[in-house]
Every structure is written in C-alpha cells, then in structure tokens.
Amino acid sequence: MAVRFLAREVSDLCLGKPALRSLPVSATVADALSALKWSGESHVSVWTCEHSPAANGGVGGDCLLLEAIDYILEGAQNLIVPIESSGSVTSRKKLLNKPSSFGSTLHNGREFCWLTQEDVVRFLLSSIGVFSPIPAFTMKSLNVIDTDVMTIYYDDPASSALDSISLSLTEQKSIGVVDESNRLIGEISPCTIAACDETVAAAIMTLSAGDLMAYIDCSGPPEDLIQLVKARLEEKNLGAILDFMEEHSSSLSFSSSCSSDEEFGLSRSGGSGRYGPARSSEPIVCHPWSSLIAAMIQALAHRVTHVWVVEEDYSIVGIVTFAGILKVFRSIAGGVQQKP
C-alpha cells in the first residue's frame, strides 16, 4: 500500500496552488528588486521551462511522487510543475486576481506552480497511516538525525557566520547559537533573516550572534539595538550604510513565515501572516527518542524546514531536515522501479 501511494502523480499535490509569475531573461537586478518589493517575497525563483528536469528542477504533472522525492534527495530544493489546464485556469485567475506590474503567469503558453519539500512532507503526513508503523519509530532508531550541524557561540560576531548562513540556505538548515557547553540557546535562520528589512545586513556586520537573535526576532529590533548598530557603523566609518539605515529605521518591517504556496516560493509579508505564527529566533526542538511523526508535525506546524535534536539539557545531538525525513519514506519503496 505504501509503494502504491508513492506511485501517485505530483499533480495531486498541486491542486489550488497559485501560478508562478516571471521576469524576462533580459530583466535587470533592479527589476528583480522591484518585483520583490511589490510582491512582499524574500526571493525570486530563477528558472526556464525549456530545459530538462534534471537540469532545471522542472517535472511533468504525471511525474511520480517517488520520482519527485528522488529529485529532492539528489539536491533539488523545489520542483516546478505545470498546472494542468482543465478549464480551471480562468477560475484560478479569478480567485487569485490581483494587479501585477511585472510579468505574466504564462510561460510558453502554460502555467507552472512551485512544489516545495514542505508540500511533499505535508502530503505524506495527510496519509501517514499508509506507512505504519515506521512513522512511530524514534528518530534515533531510523538514523534520520544529521549530526553535521553549524553552530556559533552566543558572544561571537554574527558576521563570522556569513559563510554558514549561505550554506544553511542551500541545505535548508539554520545556525545554532550555543553556549560554551554546546547547549542550544537559539538559532540564526536564513529564512528569518530573509523576512527582515534590508537593514538587517548592518546588524549582521556589527552585532554579536546573541544580539542578532534579538534583532531579528518576530517583534522587531529593540530600539537600543538599533542605536547600537548605528553607533558601531559610525565607529567603522561606514557612513553610506548608516545613512541608508537612518532612512529606513522608521519603517523596519518583518514578514511572517516561509510559505510554500506563494508565487515566488516564499512568504507574504505583514503581521502574524495567514500561514502561521511569526518567525522567531527560538529554535524548534525534539529529542532522539521522539518519533518521526512528532518531528514532522512540529516542523509543519511551525513552518520550518528542520527540527533541532537535543538532549534534556539542550546539548545538541543533531538536526532533522525535510530531506532527511523524505529519505526515510523513500527507503520504504526500496528498489522499486520508476516508470519510464
């Protein structure tokens, strides 16, 4: 039964998802920035609908769920799936109708949607009984805990984590902020940073990891930290950045979450958001003896791509990612052959 479920087509996961909008290949960086400002998104996807799936992360609507999982395990963060035209395009456009100043949803006459790792995990959870009893096993017994984690000490300069921030975005993890005993205090997530105002770049340059956590927290940066950032920019003779921050300090804004359902693959801005609780530097944690299904529910409930695994004293054991979870479900199918 589990193998039959994994043989379902990915089009089943795309029902109701909005069509992706595009920018032309000739668009400038300024055009992309303008699109980001207009949409409230944290990034724009860059892709073409003319290349092969392996090269571009695009798959057909008849692609098997098992194949989609394989693409993800081979390194694809997200998949681009054509929206099947069955007279629903018009109603979809009416439902999602909003003025747009930057590009159509049509690509060579077709519409496409964005399928994320979160979408796949959520779909699996919706029929979790099919895979019983494996989801009830502990994460330690399933060997799903990734011990290759990135950490930074609370008092270290946040700027020392720049390389790790880039890597964590690729691996869909975050950087753990720890004390001298390797106990988890908080995290610096690229998703949280992406939801911040541009002035967060100045905060990364000038604050410690601990202060940066307070700066990027969902309630917004405290006034004393804003003034601290300005003072340190002045000490470093970074007048241009200071001027930029002065211009934007009255309108610091933070968006809510990393959503899988929006046109550019990330969250809409504003308030607590329609997709769940506001972003926070507080890590989501579980324990080695927690079940796989418990970790899935935690990650999906908090709209995060990973869950930290800690001991009772919060010393870090590792991290569980969506990719790691999908690897468990893929192993259930074993050597099942994909369709040609």
Side-chain angles (χ1 to χ4, degrees):
M1 186 179 294
V3 173
R4 191 182 309 123
F5 183 86
L6 292 171
R8 296 180 66 170
E9 296 181 350
V10 295
S11 57
D12 292 342
L13 284 71
C14 300
L15 297 175
K17 292 185 69 66
L20 290 164
R21 292 188 180 275
S22 68
L23 289 173
V25 175
S26 58
T28 64
V29 173
D31 293 331
L33 289 173
S34 177
L36 288 171
K37 288 285 190 182
W38 179 88
S39 66
E41 308 300 338
S42 298
H43 68 254
V44 173
S45 58
V46 179
W47 56 284
T48 170
C49 51
E50 298 175 353
H51 290 177
S52 65
N56 192 49
V59 299
D62 60 349
C63 170
L64 300 184
L65 176 57
L66 186 63
E67 292 176 299
I69 291 175
D70 282 339
Y71 283 127
I72 291 172
L73 296 181
E74 289 168 6
Q77 289 190 4
N78 307 292
L79 298 174
I80 298 163
V81 184
I83 296 175
E84 302 300 329
S85 57
S86 57
S88 61
V89 173
T90 301
S91 60
R92 180 191 302 273
K93 287 182 177 178
K94 288 181 179 178
L95 179 64
L96 300 172
N97 185 34
K98 59 183 177 182
S100 171
S101 59
F102 66 93
S104 167
T105 60
L106 292 176
H107 310 273
N108 291 344
R110 301 194 67 181
E111 289 187 318
F112 294 79
C113 68
W114 189 249
L115 192 66
T116 70
Q117 296 181 20
E118 178 186 345
D119 293 323
V120 177
V121 172
R122 190 178 297 279
F123 187 71
L124 293 171
L125 182 64
S126 69
S127 299
I128 199 67
V130 172
F131 302 95
S132 181
I134 290 178
F137 292 173
T138 68
M139 290 184 293
K140 183 177 181 179
S141 67
L142 291 171
N143 197 30
V144 72
I145 303 171
D146 184 356
T147 58
D148 184 16
V149 298
M150 293 168 279
T151 60
I152 183 174
Y153 287 117
Y154 185 89
D155 292 323
D156 282 353
S159 58
S160 64
L162 280 174
D163 289 342
S164 294
I165 291 172
S166 298
L167 181 60
S168 65
L169 180 61
T170 301
E171 297 184 354
Q172 300 209 7
K173 299 180 180 178
S174 64
I175 300 96
V177 180
V178 299
D179 62 14
E180 294 180 355
S181 299
N182 198 41
R183 288 191 293 261
L184 187 64
I185 300 173
E187 70 173 7
I188 298 173
S189 165
C191 184
T192 307
I193 292 174
C196 297
D197 186 272
E198 297 96 323
T199 57
V200 72
I204 294 174
M205 292 172 58
T206 56
L207 297 178
S208 67
D211 284 341
L212 180 62
M213 284 197 306
Y215 192 95
I216 65 179
D217 206 36
C218 59
S219 57
E223 181 62 29
D224 61 330
L225 285 182
I226 294 176
Q227 296 305 320
L228 179 60
V229 170
K230 292 179 179 180
R232 290 181 176 172
L233 288 173
E234 189 171 6
E235 291 173 4
K236 295 174 181 287
N237 294 319
L238 297 173
I241 300 177
L242 179 59
D243 290 343
F244 177 84
M245 190 167 183
E246 291 283 5
E247 293 174 6
H248 291 77
S249 60
S250 60
S251 59
L252 290 175
S253 61
F254 294 80
S255 59
S256 61
S257 64
C258 293
S259 165
S260 63
D261 294 338
E262 294 299 328
E263 294 171 355
F264 288 97
L266 217 63
S267 66
R268 301 293 302 172
S269 61
S272 61
R274 65 186 240 203
Y275 290 104
R279 300 300 307 174
S280 172
S281 58
E282 181 178 353
I284 307 304
V285 302
C286 62
H287 303 289
W289 54 88
S290 299
S291 66
L292 179 65
I293 189 174
M296 293 172 66
I297 292 172
Q298 278 185 286
L300 292 171
H302 292 278
R303 305 305 300 268
V304 294
T305 58
H306 60 274
V307 177
W308 289 94
V309 184
V310 299
E311 298 288 2
E312 289 185 350
D313 65 351
Y314 267 63
S315 57
I316 295 178
V317 176
I319 197 169
V320 173
T321 63
F322 278 152
I325 291 171
L326 291 175
K327 189 174 182 179
V328 173
F329 287 93
R330 179 61 179 89
S331 68
I332 296 174
V336 172
Q337 294 296 315
Q338 302 171 356
K339 70 179 183 180

